[in-house]
């Protein structure tokens, strides 16, 4: 591959343009990264507010605050906002900021398309959220949008479908940009096996995105035609099958799960070595493990559907394949621990969040392994046990890694150190509350509480109350996080270029904050 | 503000009684009352212990390292970063553990799929939001929905404390009744959207898919009452369609079947007399609350955009034949079900009369059960 | 303007935001129209116009930059890699519909007819249904219809597309060998064949709707038939427009033997729709 070596600008002397238009028309990867990250933070707050409504209604048995129909809208849109508006844009934002720097390139390979990838999102989410104000309200069939239920939706239904289409277009363009950047923009000497693991995991994530987002687009298109154009894809009377949708959806959905977690692996693999002051253990096995997870993610989708009545052979195949995923995932955890082993560790906020990630993501991994056992899954499926499982991997997994990344790179991005005391408070408040929030949900599920219900039998009252209290505390802790970020952007102790004593990588060779155009001449690769 | 006060007052009471009621609180999967459920429980405990043991080792190593390999303790970082042997070990060992776990899981799974040679079969159909049970080759066929006490208490702002309702949300008007010690095959399907039939004590749940039949079986060892819920999001009242199964001894079951047959003859015998509109309206109110209010709302105002209002509805206040047709045959492609298979002539006549002369409507006419019978 | 070792980063870009607005109006208008709103048609039309304006503007800028020599090997490589992955995403989009067709033919329809694990489904729900492809399902949704034969228009269309694959390659040879006449004539033939294909496809749909009672509402057969061929037809249209733009540019004297990414991108895309058609011809029309 040809490698690009320096930027060329139409107007060499100009820095960023001034005012709002700078952000609307920018082609700079740092600007776009910032936009993505702020957008993700906003969506995180909106989705979080919905979670608060959910936990408020579930605080005690009986219906106190919302109608069951509205409750279903809350759970549905909470998930869509958090997944497509929170976690994914946050990771894309991190990729935008860090990938070109980490590989020693001048910018993302396709800067104009980069801008469009971002600027579709606010419109897509405005469209999705506008459904709350339409007849029939927002989609309420669950984020998995299973037919026939989702087809009963009100006027919001086609808007949701098109919003998903737009998010898909944005993701695919973003992913193409990542792949092209990694393949084409590396500095001379930056071979593939020298790339930081965050670059590697994003490379594989981008591949997954391009492979599955169009499949989701196809699936929702069939929903649209089933509702408005008389087709029968998911209607048995016409020869179709509602379960067909679930197969297509989860063919997208399972790789999507790894889209939400692989970049997190990359972040943690960057942070743990820094604060252990020791190189990452088993770099190449990490790359191979990530690739195996990506491969396996395409052949395990039906474990989300063990109870739909698959033939026995199908159930066995998907059970075995799913259990296999534990192997490469285990390799990663073991490698992180070996990286910490005999290091010289300090525990700044990014490290705390990374260690929190490893422990709590692993707890989510264990419940995942339990869910893989099909006969046991017949009990766990669609209960709060599953809710606990995926919140452990997504909140204390994906979101924790994003927090870790934010604290790790904020000094680099802004040139200011965040307040370490506040950061530690944020970590401990979050970690205690998030466990009060989600750990009891394991017990609720095992004791028989189905998910997606607005009201429950009194035997579930105590744990639900604990869970809600944890939820409110976790919500407040994140408002505190916003404050910390705001303060850091405003000012604070100046960060050095190196920022962290044990940090290694090209981003630490640039000034803090880095110049508007980094690596106008390619760096030397060791 | 009052609402909030009440809310907190009640929650403190709950916190108070929680200590007393602790015995009831499940922390773990129920062992259940079938061989299958016990096998599933065994698998669950096995994998749980495997996870706990691995967790102890992994987290133990981590904590050890965090305590002793910290800079403040004067630890100096070593620079090793690769070991083929270690990678091999932690690839191969988990793989072997997985195989060990897969073997019993496979056995249980194969056994659960074996629906052959049942003693009897029951077709279970999910509706929004109730269950229908049809005993194959027996003349028993009925609907089972949330009991009236729970239904009253669960309305938004009902001010009824759920703790005062027995088996709140886990009770039905007519439970499913099955005999003990018999292999019973369930044929699960749905009429509108996907539901999922789940009684934790039986050890499985299975989706009820419209247009397809899923099969599953139970053989219950112990008479008793077992409770469960719909486990697949099925719309607004997904949380309010419980399942109650009464498992009876062979004799009790036989007696129950007899009683069902005689009562079935009663309900199936056509209502021939003409009923006064007032009586129809009264009966219709009950039918409306049980079958229509979930969507069209208690006062008939509906939910804009999804569930049309009954009050001042063009259909309800218009020609009566169109109204009857809509209620009996439903509206394909929407949540409006065809009620002719769900309600008796009397119930249909009553609810239609009720809708036309109540809930803010004053059409003034009535329909008799005989007229409904003629349309079947 | 640029030297060999600089990567072109445009200073700012106004077209993306225009594109976002256009896309939102277009899709939002469409959604409103599906809901039966009267305003929606106009919103959709405005959205379409804005989108077309964006496409002209954006591609116009890129073409201008390309012709002024702003792009070198590195940029060219970016475009190529990007295009390849874009086509891969399109492959996966079609995979969803082919997957649906496969599942319906191999699983759901036989199960409804009582095969394998569908025995109980057939016995208790669809007792009289016989699973024979093509089918509009146990309730014969959409009423009686006739199958679309593979050997009339579809086989002519196959020939047309295969021929167009050859002509576009001939055009490429012409471009590389600097034979501009060959380039232009072969490319013009390709564009013409592409549009003839689309017209014939429209004729075929008319035949289906009017003579065969085969509509999108004809159960799963109608659904899969129109969904797969419809999206393919849409992609052929897009590909033909791309080739038409390349043709106009060729006539204007754009492209050199070494520097002609746009041509190749359009040609790759064209081969892709060609291959999809072969899949359609075999699995939708023939088998």
């Amino acid at each position: 591959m040809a490698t690009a070596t320096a930027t060329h600008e139409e107007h060499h002397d100009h820095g960023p343009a001034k005012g709002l238009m700078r952000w609307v028309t920018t082609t700079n990867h740092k600007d776009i990264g910032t936009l993505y990250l702020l957008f993700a933070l906003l969506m995180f707050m909106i989705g979080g507010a919905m979670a608060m409504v959910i936990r408020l209604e579930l605080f005690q048995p009986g219906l106190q605050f919302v109608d069951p129909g509205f409750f279903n809208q809350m759970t549905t849109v909470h998930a869509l906002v958090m997944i497509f508006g929170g976690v994914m844009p946050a990771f894309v934002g991190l990729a935008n900021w860090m990938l070109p720097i980490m590989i020693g390139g001048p910018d993302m390979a396709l800067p104009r398309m980069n801008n469009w990838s971002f600027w579709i999102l606010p419109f897509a989410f405005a469209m999705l959220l506008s459904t709350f104000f339409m007849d029939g309200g927002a989609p309420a069939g669950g984020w998995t949008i299973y037919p026939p239920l989702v087809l009963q939706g009100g006027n919001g239904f086609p808007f949701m479908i098109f919003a998903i289409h737009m998010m898909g277009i944005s993701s695919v363009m973003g992913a193409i940009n990542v792949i092209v950047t990694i393949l084409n923009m590396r500095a001379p000497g930056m071979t593939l096996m020298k790339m930081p693991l965050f670059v590697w995991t994003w490379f594989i994530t981008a591949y997954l995105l391009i492979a599955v987002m169009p499949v989701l687009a196809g699936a929702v298109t069939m929903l649209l035609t089933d509702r408005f154009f008389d087709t029968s894809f998911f209607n048995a009377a016409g020869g179709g099958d509602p379960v067909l949708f679930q197969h297509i959806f989860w063919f997208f959905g399972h790789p999507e799960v790894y889209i939400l977690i692989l970049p997190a692996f990359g972040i943690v693999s960057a942070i743990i070595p820094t604060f252990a002051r020791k190189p990452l253990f088993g770099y190449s096995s990490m790359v191979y493990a990530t690739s195996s997870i990506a491969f396996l993610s395409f052949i395990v989708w039906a474990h989300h559907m063990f109870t739909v009545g698959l033939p026995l052979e199908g159930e066995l195949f998907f059970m075995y394949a799913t259990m296999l995923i534990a192997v490469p995932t285990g390799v990663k955890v073991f490698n992180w621990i070996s990286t910490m082993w005999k290091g010289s560790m300090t525990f700044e906020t990014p490290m705390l969040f990374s260690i929190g990630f490893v422990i709590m993501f692993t707890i989510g991994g264990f419940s995942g392994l339990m869910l893989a056992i099909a006969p046991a899954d017949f009990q766990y499926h669609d209960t709060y046990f599953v809710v606990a499982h995926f919140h452990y991997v997504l909140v204390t997994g994906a979101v924790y890694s994003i927090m870790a990344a934010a604290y790790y790179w904020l000094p680099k991005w802004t040139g200011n150190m965040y307040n370490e005391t506040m950061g530690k408070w944020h970590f401990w408040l979050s970690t205690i509350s998030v466990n009060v929030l989600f750990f009891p949900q394991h017990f609720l599920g095992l004791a028989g509480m189905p998910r997606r219900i607005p009201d429950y039998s009194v035997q579930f009252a105590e744990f639900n109350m604990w869970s809600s209290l944890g939820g409110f505390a976790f919500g407040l802790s994140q408002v505190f996080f916003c404050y910390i970020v705001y303060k850091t952007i405003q000012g604070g102790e100046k960060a050095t270029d190196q920022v962290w004593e044990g940090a290694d990588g090209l981003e630490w060779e640039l000034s803090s904050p880095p110049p508007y155009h980094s690596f106008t001449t390619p760096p030397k690769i060791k | 503000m009052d609402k909030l006060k009440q809310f907190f007052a009640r929650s403190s009471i709950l916190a108070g009684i929680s200590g007393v009621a602790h015995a009831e609180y499940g922390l773990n999967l129920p062992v259940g009352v079938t061989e299958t459920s016990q096998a599933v429980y065994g698998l669950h405990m096995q994998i749980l212990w495997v996870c706990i043991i691995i967790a102890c080792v992994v987290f133990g190593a981590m904590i050890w390292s965090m305590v002793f390999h910290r800079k403040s303790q004067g630890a100096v970082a070593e620079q090793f970063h690769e070991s083929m042997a270690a990678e091999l070990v932690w690839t191969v060992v988990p793989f072997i553990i997985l195989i060990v776990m897969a073997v019993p899981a496979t056995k249980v799974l194969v056994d659960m799929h074996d629906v052959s040679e049942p003693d009897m079969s029951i077709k279970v159909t999910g509706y929004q939001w109730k269950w229908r049970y049809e005993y194959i080759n027996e003349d028993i066929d009925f609907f089972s929905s949330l009991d009236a006490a729970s239904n009253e208490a669960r309305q938004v702002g009902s001010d009824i404390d759920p703790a005062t309702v027995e088996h709140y949300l886990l009770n039905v008007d007519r439970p499913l009744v099955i005999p003990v010690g018999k292999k019973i095959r369930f044929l699960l399907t749905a009429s509108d959207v996907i539901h999922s039939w789940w009684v934790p004590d039986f050890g499985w749940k299975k989706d009820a898919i419209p247009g397809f039949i899923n099969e599953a079986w139970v053989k219950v060892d112990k008479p008793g009452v077992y409770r469960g819920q719909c486990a697949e999001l099925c719309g607004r009242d997904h949380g309010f369609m419980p399942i109650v199964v009464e498992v009876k001894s062979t004799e009790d079951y036989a007696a129950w079947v007899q009683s069902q047959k005689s009562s079935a003859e009663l309900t199936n015998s056509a209502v021939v007399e003409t009923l006064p509109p007032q009586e129809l309206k009264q009966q219709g109110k009950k039918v409306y609350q049980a079958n229509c209010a979930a969507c069209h709302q208690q006062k008939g105002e509906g939910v804009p955009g999804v569930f049309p209002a009954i009050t001042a509805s063009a259909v309800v206040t218009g020609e009566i034949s169109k109204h009857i047709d809509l209620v009996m045959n439903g509206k394909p492609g929407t949540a409006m079900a065809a009620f002719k298979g769900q309600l008796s002539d009397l119930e249909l006549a009553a609810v239609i009369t009720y809708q036309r002369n109540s809930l803010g409507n004053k059409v003034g006419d009535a329909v008799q059960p005989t007229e409904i019978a003629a349309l079947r | 303007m640029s030297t060999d070792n600089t990567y072109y980063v445009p200073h700012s870009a106004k077209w993306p935001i225009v594109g976002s607005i256009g896309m939102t109006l277009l899709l939002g208008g469409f959604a409103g129209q599906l809901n039966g709103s009267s305003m929606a048609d106009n919103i959709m039309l405005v959205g379409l116009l804005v989108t077309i304006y964006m496409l002209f503007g954006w591609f116009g800028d890129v073409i201008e930059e390309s012709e002024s020599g702003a792009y070198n090997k590195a940029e060219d490589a970016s475009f190529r890699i990007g295009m390849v992955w874009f086509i891969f995403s399109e492959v996966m989009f079609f995979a969803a519909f082919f997957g649906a067709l496969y599942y319906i033919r191999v699983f759901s329809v036989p199960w409804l007819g009582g095969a394998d694990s569908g025995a109980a489904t057939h016995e208790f729900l669809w007792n009289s249904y016989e699973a024979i492809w093509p089918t509009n399902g146990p309730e014969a949704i959409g009423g009686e219809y006739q199958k679309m034969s593979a050997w009339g228009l579809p086989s002519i269309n196959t020939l047309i597309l295969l021929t167009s694959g050859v002509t576009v390659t001939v055009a490429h040879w012409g471009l590389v060998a600097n034979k501009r006449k060959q380039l232009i004539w072969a490319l013009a033939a390709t564009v013409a064949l592409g549009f003839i294909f689309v017209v014939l496809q429209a004729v075929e749909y008319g035949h289906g709707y009017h003579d065969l009672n085969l509509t999108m509402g004809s159960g799963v057969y109608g659904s899969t038939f129109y969904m797969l061929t419809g999206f393919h037809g849409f992609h052929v249209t897009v590909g033909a427009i791309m080739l038409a733009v390349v043709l106009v540019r060729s006539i204007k004297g754009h492209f050199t033997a070494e520097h002609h990414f746009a041509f190749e991108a359009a040609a790759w895309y064209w081969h892709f729709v060609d291959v999809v058609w072969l899949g359609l011809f075999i699995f939708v029309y023939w088998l």
Side-chain angles (χ1 to χ4, degrees):
Chain A
M1 274 309 141
T3 40
T5 53
T7 60
H8 168 74
E9 270 285 327
E10 283 165 290
H11 311 282
H12 272 287
D13 318 322
H14 292 214
K18 295 283 179 283
L20 180 68
M21 284 319 274
R22 163 186 176 181
W23 299 102
V24 176
T25 62
T26 182
T27 52
N28 182 285
H29 73 100
K30 298 188 188 83
D31 285 353
I32 295 171
T34 305
L35 284 170
Y36 263 114
L37 288 167
L38 292 176
F39 178 78
L41 191 60
L42 175 69
M43 286 295 136
F44 187 50
M45 288 296 135
I46 292 175
M50 294 176 191
M52 293 299 107
V53 174
I54 293 168
R55 279 322 319 171
L56 185 67
E57 183 53 64
L58 291 174
F59 186 73
Q60 58 177 19
L63 288 173
Q64 289 81 25
F65 297 98
V66 297
D67 178 85
F70 186 73
F71 183 90
N72 290 343
Q73 296 174 23
M74 284 287 116
T75 51
T76 303
V77 183
H78 161 74
L80 289 171
V81 164
M82 286 302 201
I83 293 169
F84 293 102
V87 175
M88 287 169 72
F91 281 139
V92 183
L94 292 170
N96 251 298
W97 248 103
M98 303 316 296
L99 288 191
I101 300 181
M102 283 177 156
I103 59 174
D107 204 306
M108 294 293 278
L110 303 159
R112 262 187 285 241
M113 199 172 83
N114 200 14
N115 174 299
W116 204 23
S117 306
F118 172 76
W119 276 107
I120 287 174
L121 284 181
F123 291 87
F125 279 89
M127 201 185 257
L128 179 66
L129 295 175
S130 71
T131 59
F132 275 109
F133 307 101
M134 294 175 188
D135 272 358
W143 85 277
T144 48
I145 48 177
Y146 285 178
L149 179 63
V150 72
L151 303 177
Q152 294 180 347
N155 279 354
F157 173 78
F159 288 93
M160 172 198 69
I161 298 289
F162 290 134
I164 291 176
H165 273 132
M166 287 169 74
M167 294 168 204
I169 292 169
S170 156
S171 291
V172 169
M173 290 198 302
I176 289 175
N177 219 338
V178 165
I179 289 191
V180 178
T181 304
I182 293 172
L183 289 178
N184 199 34
M185 308 291 279
R186 279 171 288 131
M190 177 59 81
T191 59
L192 287 176
M193 290 309 271
K194 274 189 190 164
M195 298 191 306
L197 217 60
F198 181 65
V199 182
W200 256 113
T201 52
W202 240 114
F203 186 47
I204 293 165
T205 302
Y207 163 71
L208 292 180
L209 273 169
I210 298 172
V212 300
M213 288 310 287
V215 175
L216 176 67
V220 298
T221 305
M222 287 185 257
L223 284 181
L224 191 80
T225 59
D226 263 19
R227 161 99 179 239
F228 292 108
F229 299 97
D230 305 328
T231 58
S232 305
F233 289 105
F234 311 127
N235 175 12
D241 185 350
V243 174
L244 166 60
F245 178 83
Q246 301 185 18
H247 280 290
I248 305 174
F249 181 86
W250 287 113
F251 181 84
F252 144 80
H254 202 79
E256 170 71 16
V257 170
Y258 293 106
I259 289 164
L260 298 170
I261 204 68
L262 292 185
F265 291 166
I267 291 164
V268 171
S269 303
I271 295 176
I272 290 182
T274 297
F275 295 97
R277 293 166 181 75
K278 190 166 158 276
L280 182 70
F281 188 87
Y283 171 90
S284 49
S285 75
M286 286 295 221
V287 173
Y288 300 136
T290 312
S291 314
S292 331
I293 291 173
F295 169 74
L296 287 172
S297 75
F298 285 104
I299 56 165
V300 297
W301 74 86
H303 68 220
H304 296 269
M305 321 159 44
F306 276 147
T307 64
V308 299
L310 300 172
L312 178 62
E313 313 81 71
E315 238 148 37
L316 287 173
F317 171 80
F318 286 109
M319 174 169 81
Y320 298 148
T322 305
M323 290 169 79
L324 266 187
I325 289 194
V327 176
T329 315
V331 167
K332 298 189 111 16
V333 174
F334 295 132
N335 279 331
W336 289 322
I337 294 171
S338 306
T339 307
M340 291 161 66
W341 192 257
K342 302 233 157 151
S344 169
M345 276 188 277
T346 51
F347 299 91
E348 287 86 345
T349 311
M351 182 63 161
L352 288 177
F353 272 101
S354 299
I355 290 171
F357 169 93
V358 175
I359 293 176
M360 289 183 281
F361 173 77
T362 306
I363 291 174
F366 284 137
S367 54
L369 184 57
M370 295 172 75
L371 286 158
I373 311 288
D377 180 76
F378 292 160
Q379 287 279 43
Y380 310 140
H381 182 81
D382 264 338
T383 69
Y384 260 83
F385 189 80
V386 177
V387 176
H389 159 73
F390 66 69
H391 280 103
Y392 263 90
V393 290
L394 287 180
V395 178
T396 59
V399 172
Y400 260 47
S401 79
I402 294 165
M403 301 281 183
Y407 284 110
Y408 187 55
W409 284 312
L410 255 182
K412 174 58 61 185
W413 298 335
T414 62
N416 306 323
M417 289 305 286
Y418 61 89
N419 184 319
E420 189 63 56
T421 318
M422 285 193 198
K424 284 189 170 138
W425 269 99
H426 173 228
F427 170 76
W428 287 109
L429 284 173
S430 299
T431 302
I432 293 165
S433 58
V434 85
N435 282 291
V436 176
L437 164 58
F438 293 123
F439 209 80
Q441 296 185 356
H442 290 114
F443 303 128
L444 283 172
L446 293 176
M449 180 169 161
R451 64 192 281 209
R452 293 167 166 169
I453 56 175
D455 191 6
Y456 46 82
S457 171
V458 279
Q459 59 181 323
F460 305 125
E462 195 182 21
F463 283 133
N464 268 300
M465 192 185 294
W466 278 112
S467 184
S468 288
L469 291 173
F472 302 146
F474 186 72
L476 281 178
S477 315
Q478 304 329 306
V479 177
F480 183 45
F481 173 68
C482 294
Y483 174 74
I484 299 173
V485 172
Y486 173 76
K487 288 298 277 184
T488 313
I489 295 170
Q490 288 296 303
E493 190 193 329
K494 292 287 152 233
T496 61
D497 293 354
Q498 173 71 15
V499 185
W500 310 109
E501 185 191 23
D504 184 37
L506 289 175
E507 73 263 41
W508 312 109
E509 291 175 16
L510 293 172
S511 61
S512 300
Y516 195 58
H517 298 289
S518 33
F519 298 124
T520 38
T521 51
K524 291 263 178 299
I525 308 298
K526 283 173 273 185
Chain B
M1 230 21 239
D2 275 356
K3 208 174 180 184
L4 270 183
K5 259 188 213 154
Q6 246 177 23
F7 179 70
F8 286 111
R10 195 174 292 157
S11 45
S12 54
I13 295 167
L14 260 176
I17 60 158
S18 66
V20 187
H22 220 290
E24 269 186 57
Y25 285 53
L27 277 173
N28 201 355
L29 216 54
V31 181
V33 289
T34 66
E35 240 170 75
T36 310
S37 74
Q38 281 143 20
V40 167
Y41 178 80
L43 283 177
H44 162 71
M45 288 316 287
Q46 183 196 14
I47 180 97
L48 183 61
W49 279 114
V50 167
C51 288
I52 290 173
I53 292 164
I54 298 175
C56 287
V57 174
V58 171
F59 297 152
M62 232 176 130
I63 290 165
W64 178 278
S65 157
M66 283 192 284
V67 172
F68 295 105
H69 306 148
R70 52 167 72 210
K71 199 181 175 198
S72 55
Q73 300 279 316
V76 179
E78 295 195 14
Q79 292 301 310
F80 64 85
H81 57 86
E82 232 165 9
S83 163
M84 195 59 191
E87 303 285 354
L88 267 180
V89 169
W90 59 53
T91 307
V92 174
V93 173
F95 191 74
I96 293 168
I97 296 174
L98 289 177
I99 292 174
V100 171
M101 290 191 310
V103 173
T106 306
K107 276 193 196 140
V108 177
L109 195 60
V110 170
D111 189 46
M112 289 172 101
H113 269 262
D114 179 16
V115 290
S116 61
E117 294 170 25
D119 296 313
M120 60 183 281
S121 297
I122 298 173
K123 187 172 163 213
V124 180
T125 311
Y127 286 77
Q128 282 173 321
W129 293 274
K130 58 198 159 215
W131 295 97
R132 178 186 193 170
Y133 300 110
E134 291 166 86
Y135 291 61
I136 305 294
N137 300 329
E138 301 248 23
D139 192 18
I140 303 177
D141 175 359
F142 60 90
F143 283 87
S144 172
S145 45
L146 185 69
D147 70 315
S150 296
N151 195 31
E152 207 183 325
R154 65 109 174 171
Q155 303 300 332
V156 183
S158 75
D159 282 331
I160 300 171
D161 184 350
T164 63
V165 180
E166 204 185 354
H167 300 298
Y168 177 60
L169 298 188
L170 290 179
N171 212 4
V172 294
D173 51 359
R174 287 185 78 178
L176 172 68
V177 178
I178 58 171
V180 77
K182 292 267 159 55
K183 181 169 181 176
I184 294 152
R185 177 174 67 146
F186 288 107
L187 303 158
L188 297 145
T189 185
S191 84
D192 33 45
V193 302
I194 300 174
H195 302 267
S196 187
W197 200 83
W198 182 36
V199 176
D201 279 318
F202 294 169
W204 51 264
K205 67 175 67 69
K206 199 126 203 173
D207 292 359
I209 316 255
F212 287 84
I213 295 245
N214 276 329
E215 294 170 90
W217 65 275
V218 295
K219 193 168 159 188
V220 185
D221 303 332
K222 212 166 76 183
V225 179
Y226 305 107
R227 294 170 198 279
Q229 282 178 273
C230 175
E232 175 69 49
L233 179 62
C234 55
R236 187 175 178 275
D237 279 356
H238 160 57
F240 308 99
M241 52 183 291
I243 296 152
V244 178
V245 184
E246 259 185 70
V247 181
K248 289 184 188 282
S249 67
T250 319
E251 306 82 61
D252 288 356
Y253 177 72
W256 179 81
V257 170
Q258 267 316 312
S259 74
Q260 288 306 299
K261 289 199 169 144
S262 42
S263 77
E265 273 163 32
L266 258 180
T267 45
N268 284 352
S269 60
V271 183
V272 281
E273 76 258 50
T274 306
L275 298 166
Q278 209 44 43
E279 193 183 327
L280 282 171
K281 251 176 80 176
Q282 267 172 17
Q283 296 223 25
K285 184 170 186 185
K286 281 184 221 142
V287 181
Y288 182 84
Q289 297 297 341
N291 294 281
C292 318
C295 297
H296 298 294
Q297 306 298 305
Q298 300 279 327
K299 294 192 183 97
E301 73 270 29
V303 177
V306 243
F307 306 126
I310 300 293
T311 311
S313 141
V315 177
V316 174
T317 56
E319 219 179 301
I320 195 161
S321 60
K322 292 221 174 94
H323 187 186
I324 297 172
D325 177 64
L326 181 67
V327 176
M328 285 180 76
N329 300 312
K331 194 174 175 192
T334 70
M336 182 62 198
F339 280 93
K340 71 175 168 197
Q342 302 188 31
L343 301 176
S344 69
D345 297 346
L346 175 62
E347 288 169 321
L348 283 166
V351 77
I352 292 168
T353 307
Y354 173 72
Q355 289 181 350
R356 299 177 76 80
N357 299 296
S358 205
L359 303 166
N361 296 327
K362 280 199 188 87
V363 187
D365 55 358
V367 57
Q368 291 296 330
T370 43
E371 296 171 58
I372 302 286
L375 287 167
R376 285 202 188 256
Chain C
M1 188 167 161
S2 69
T3 52
D4 249 358
N5 57 355
T6 55
Y7 194 85
Y8 181 80
V9 178
H11 186 63
S12 69
K14 72 169 177 187
W15 297 115
I17 192 73
V18 177
S20 290
I21 292 167
M23 192 195 283
T24 306
L25 292 175
L26 181 62
L27 293 177
F30 188 24
Q33 198 217 34
L34 290 173
N35 284 334
S37 148
S38 53
M39 282 271 293
D41 281 354
N42 298 328
I43 296 175
M44 223 176 131
L45 185 67
V46 173
L48 185 68
L49 292 176
V50 174
T51 306
I52 290 170
Y53 170 65
M54 177 275 288
L55 288 170
F56 267 92
W58 192 328
F59 282 105
D61 278 6
V62 173
I63 290 166
E64 204 174 291
E65 286 164 13
S66 173
E67 288 305 304
S68 69
Y71 301 153
N72 294 301
K73 277 211 175 81
E75 290 84 349
D76 197 58
S78 287
F79 293 150
R80 279 161 197 275
I81 302 168
M83 190 67 196
V84 168
W85 285 90
F86 168 65
I87 290 176
F88 174 59
S89 80
E90 291 271 45
V91 170
M92 293 309 291
F93 181 70
F94 275 97
F97 298 110
F98 274 106
L101 177 70
Y102 173 83
Y103 181 90
I104 285 165
R105 293 190 58 171
V106 177
F107 297 112
S108 77
V109 166
W111 283 343
L112 290 166
D116 304 324
S117 62
T121 299
H122 186 250
E123 184 187 344
F124 291 97
L125 297 178
W126 312 110
N127 216 346
S128 57
Y129 176 60
E130 261 184 279
I132 299 165
W133 189 262
T135 178
N136 54 355
E139 278 187 10
I141 301 277
E144 231 170 88
Y145 66 93
Q146 283 170 285
K147 184 185 189 292
M148 186 65 75
S149 160
W151 305 115
L153 276 182
S155 48
I156 295 172
N157 261 346
T158 308
L159 281 180
I160 289 176
L161 269 197
L162 288 177
T163 312
S164 74
V166 173
T167 53
V168 80
T169 305
V170 171
H172 192 215
W173 289 340
L175 176 54
V176 175
N178 227 349
K179 294 182 185 155
R180 300 296 293 195
K181 249 194 189 149
Q182 181 181 333
L183 162 69
I184 287 163
W185 283 111
L187 200 52
T190 313
V191 173
L193 287 168
F195 283 113
I196 291 171
F197 173 93
V198 174
V199 169
L200 288 183
Q201 196 70 352
V203 170
E204 184 193 81
Y205 282 5
H207 175 58
Y209 265 79
H210 295 123
D211 307 331
L212 306 180
N213 190 31
L214 177 62
T215 69
M216 280 191 96
S218 301
V220 276
Y221 176 61
S223 308
T224 51
F225 175 82
Y226 282 106
M227 193 69 121
L228 274 158
T229 56
F231 267 110
H232 176 263
F234 174 70
H235 280 76
V236 172
T237 312
V238 171
I241 292 171
M242 281 162 65
L243 286 171
V245 172
V246 170
L247 175 62
V248 172
R249 289 184 63 191
S250 303
I251 294 168
K252 277 188 174 173
H254 292 191
F255 307 126
T256 65
E258 299 80 31
H259 191 83
H260 52 259
F261 163 73
F263 179 96
E264 287 195 51
W268 292 343
Y269 197 78
W270 196 249
H271 288 308
F272 152 72
V273 297
D274 217 352
V275 171
V276 171
W277 175 260
L278 289 180
L280 285 180
F281 186 72
I282 294 170
F283 294 110
V284 176
Y285 289 96
W286 187 8
L287 294 180

